[in-house]
């Protein structure tokens, strides 16, 4: 019985030694994450995305929208600024999410969190601004965003870069479904150049 036990242990060790070891695309001398994701669904037997934790929500940096309002009069001026701003998605490898890896990501996101990934959001509005004499008024908009971290698992039918299985870290950002967006306005004094151009 002792001989059989030793033989079984040796056989298990040999099997483990021959099994394909996975590798990660975050070390020197390995393919880039971009190279791996470009092959997702094209030359893989398996391509899956595994999210890590819950989405992170954050307020994006506010940017000016619409046209500035120049008050060239000698009294307070109320104006309506009409604007529209579309916020899209981005990711850590700067690849279009319309590719196969993006479809895989969005399917995994829906299964993991129970709602769909939002690729873009358009906010349109007419915002009232107030400018005192000699001032410039502007509207600023900052959308609420979500960020998801995770890892792609890719299985290849043949060895690629020396391995059958690769893991690739990935991060994506996009507009949140619940748009608690920030809309603000600010004013400042016109410069001499602006006064010359817009006030004559």
């Amino acid at each position: 019985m002792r001989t059989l036990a030793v033989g079984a242990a040796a056989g298990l060790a040999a099997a483990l030694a021959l099994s394909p070891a996975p590798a990660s695309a975050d070390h020197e001398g390995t393919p880039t994450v971009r190279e791996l994701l470009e092959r997702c669904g094209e030359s893989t037997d398996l391509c899956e995305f595994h999210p890590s934790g819950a989405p992170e929500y954050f307020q994006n940096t506010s940017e000016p929208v619409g046209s500035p309002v120049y008050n060239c009069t000698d009294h307070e001026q109320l104006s309506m600024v009409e604007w529209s701003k579309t916020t899209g998605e981005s990711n850590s490898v700067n690849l279009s999410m319309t590719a196969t890896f993006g479809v895989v990501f969005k399917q995994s996101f829906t299964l993991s969190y129970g709602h769909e990934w939002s690729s873009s959001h358009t906010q349109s509005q007419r915002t009232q601004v107030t400018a005192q004499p000699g001032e410039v008024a502007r509207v600023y908009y900052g959308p609420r965003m979500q960020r998801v971290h995770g890892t792609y698992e890719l299985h290849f039918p043949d060895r690629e870069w020396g391995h059958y299985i690769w893991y690739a870290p990935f991060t994506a950002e996009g507009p949140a479904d619940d748009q608690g967006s920030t809309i603000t306005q600010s004013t400042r004094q016109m410069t001499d150049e602006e006064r010359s151009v817009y006030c004559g």
Side-chain angles (χ1 to χ4, degrees):
M1 293 297 293
R2 181 178 179 83
T3 302
L4 289 175
V6 171
L12 177 60
L16 290 174
L18 292 173
S19 61
S24 298
D26 54 4
H27 301 292
E28 187 177 353
T30 62
T32 64
V33 173
R34 184 187 180 102
E35 287 175 316
L36 287 171
L37 295 190
E38 286 176 334
R39 299 194 178 201
C40 175
E42 303 300 324
S43 58
T44 55
D45 291 332
L46 174 76
C47 180
E48 294 181 344
F49 178 73
H50 306 293
S52 175
E56 301 170 1
Y57 293 96
F58 64 98
Q59 199 70 38
N60 207 10
T61 304
S62 293
E63 297 180 352
V65 291
S67 300
V69 174
Y70 298 91
N71 185 358
C72 298
T73 72
D74 59 358
H75 56 270
E76 181 179 274
Q77 180 175 303
L78 300 179
S79 303
M80 297 299 295
V81 176
E82 188 168 349
W83 58 271
S84 181
K85 176 72 173 179
T86 298
T87 304
E89 62 194 357
S90 62
N91 59 75
S92 54
V93 292
N94 295 319
L95 282 174
S96 170
M97 297 280 277
T98 58
T100 303
F101 85 93
V103 175
V104 170
F105 169 85
K106 292 169 185 177
Q107 290 174 342
S108 176
F109 180 91
T110 301
L111 288 173
S112 299
Y113 304 118
H115 59 94
E116 293 185 355
W117 173 260
S118 180
S119 296
S120 67
H121 172 78
T122 300
Q123 182 84 13
S124 300
Q125 196 176 101
R126 296 180 75 235
T127 305
Q128 179 176 287
V129 296
T130 303
Q132 299 300 322
E135 287 186 341
V136 185
R138 291 228 67 169
V139 177
Y140 292 82
Y141 166 69
R144 189 165 185 255
M145 305 289 288
Q146 60 183 334
R147 181 186 295 119
V148 175
H149 302 285
T151 304
Y152 276 90
E153 179 181 352
L154 302 98
H155 294 205
F156 293 91
D158 301 304
R159 289 184 186 272
E160 296 289 343
W161 295 281
H163 297 273
Y164 289 98
I165 302 172
W166 283 92
Y167 292 99
F170 182 77
T171 299
E173 294 182 359
D177 288 336
D178 179 17
Q179 273 299 312
S181 306
T182 299
I183 300 171
T184 59
Q185 60 174 287
S186 69
T187 59
R188 61 170 175 79
Q189 287 294 315
M190 277 188 276
T191 64
D192 291 340
E193 182 179 357
E194 287 172 330
R195 188 174 288 104
S196 174
V197 171
Y198 298 104
C199 299

